Amino acid sequence: MHKITINGAALAYDEAGTGTPVVLLHAGIADRRMWRGVLPALAARHRVIALDLRGYGDSELPATPFAHHDDVAGLLDALDIPRAALVGCSFGGSVAIDTALAHPDRVTALALFGTAVSGNEWSEEANDLWDDLVGEVDPDDFTAGAAGEVRFWVVGPARQPSDVDSDLIAFAQEMDQRALAAELALGAVEVGELTPPAIDRLGELRVPVLVTAGAADVPDIRRLADRIAAEVPDAVRLPDVPDAAHLLPLERPEPVNAAVLDFLS
């Protein structure tokens, strides 16, 4: 692990490899460790940096205003990287898109896996799925909250927990408990948002974009992948990856590695 001060905060990251730079941005229910099956494979051809976003994992959270997309650009500045490809999952994909819109000269490509998009509103179907699968959870009970989020996102609505590797579930719950604590702390800090948000600006993206999702992810996420592919001028929509849900790069790193290496080549 390395730490570097970005915009007044000490942010943690892992780094490996040499070559054209690639930055990995984690899901909101995880931290940089979710890329453990991806970083070594990409590092065979690229300089790869897996970042803990501010407040998550081992990164600090000073009580000063900031924006995640500005932190990504600040990371590139601090590491003397003029431009990089961004690989994001879920919330990390949203941060990647926002970075490409806010700092278009710093991003060479986007690879998005089960991505969120800033400004997107969840459907009633997604809310009903949450009620059916999880229901009411005490927001102060991080253990119960993580179990519910992992059931919804990591297992997914079309699978049962018994269908998913138990070690994966345990690891995802451990990461998510830390992420829930991070989100609570972030609620007390002024976090800048992209204005206007990305959901109605996808057509402004001027870099190649790769997008896909897990076939067992919630329908809203798979529909977002379809929308990105339809609205971004230079986008490739890969088929959904079978037997994988929201943490696709953690659950199925092999197809993710193959897709990203081929895309960046």
Side-chain angles (χ1 to χ4, degrees), residues 69 141 172 227-228 239 256:
H69 52 270
D141 187 342
R227 179 170 177 177
I228 291 167
V256 169

Side-chain angles (χ1 to χ4, degrees), residues 129 133 151-153 155-160 216-219 222 245:
L129 278 173
L133 293 172
R151 174 65 185 90
F152 186 79
W153 292 112
V155 176
R159 300 190 294 184
Q160 296 299 317
D217 207 339
V218 299
R222 290 182 275 121

Side-chain angles (χ1 to χ4, degrees), residues 28-187:
I29 61 172
D31 54 51
R32 74 185 193 280
R33 292 175 295 164
M34 68 162 284
W35 300 105
R36 63 187 185 183
V38 172
L39 189 152
L42 299 189
R45 300 186 195 173
H46 301 276
R47 179 185 180 186
V48 186
I49 298 108
L51 175 69
D52 270 340
L53 293 167
R54 187 183 300 218
Y56 291 88
D58 295 306
S59 288
E60 295 181 352
L61 183 64
T64 53
F66 79 100
H68 288 297
H69 52 270
D70 291 337
D71 276 355
V72 175
L75 174 75
L76 300 182
D77 289 338
L79 296 179
D80 196 26
I81 298 174
R83 305 176 74 207
L86 306 182
V87 180
C89 175
S90 185
F91 176 63
S94 176
V95 173
I97 295 169
D98 287 356
T99 304
L101 291 170
H103 305 280
D105 58 328
R106 310 305 302 276
V107 179
T108 59
L110 297 173
L112 308 171
F113 298 93
T115 193
V117 180
S118 62
N120 179 62
E121 295 186 4
W122 297 109
S123 68
E124 285 300 317
E125 178 188 8
N127 294 329
D128 290 342
L129 278 173
W130 177 271
D131 290 339
D132 291 342
L133 293 172
V134 181
E136 292 289 334
V137 177
D138 182 352
D140 295 324
D141 187 342
F142 294 159
T143 300
E149 289 197 336
V150 168
R151 174 65 185 90
F152 186 79
W153 292 112
V154 179
V155 176
R159 300 190 294 184
Q160 296 299 317
S162 58
D163 299 327
V164 182
D165 181 80
S166 59
D167 290 339
L168 173 68
I169 290 178
F171 181 51
Q173 289 179 346
E174 186 269 321
M175 284 195 296
D176 195 24
Q177 287 186 47
R178 295 183 69 185
L180 287 170
E183 290 173 0
L184 180 64
L186 283 160

Side-chain angles (χ1 to χ4, degrees), residues 1-4 11-15 32 49-51 75 79:
M1 181 187 73
H2 307 276
K3 278 202 171 184
I4 193 166
L11 303 189
Y13 67 98
D14 296 327
E15 181 174 352
R32 74 185 193 280
I49 298 108
L51 175 69
L75 174 75
L79 296 179

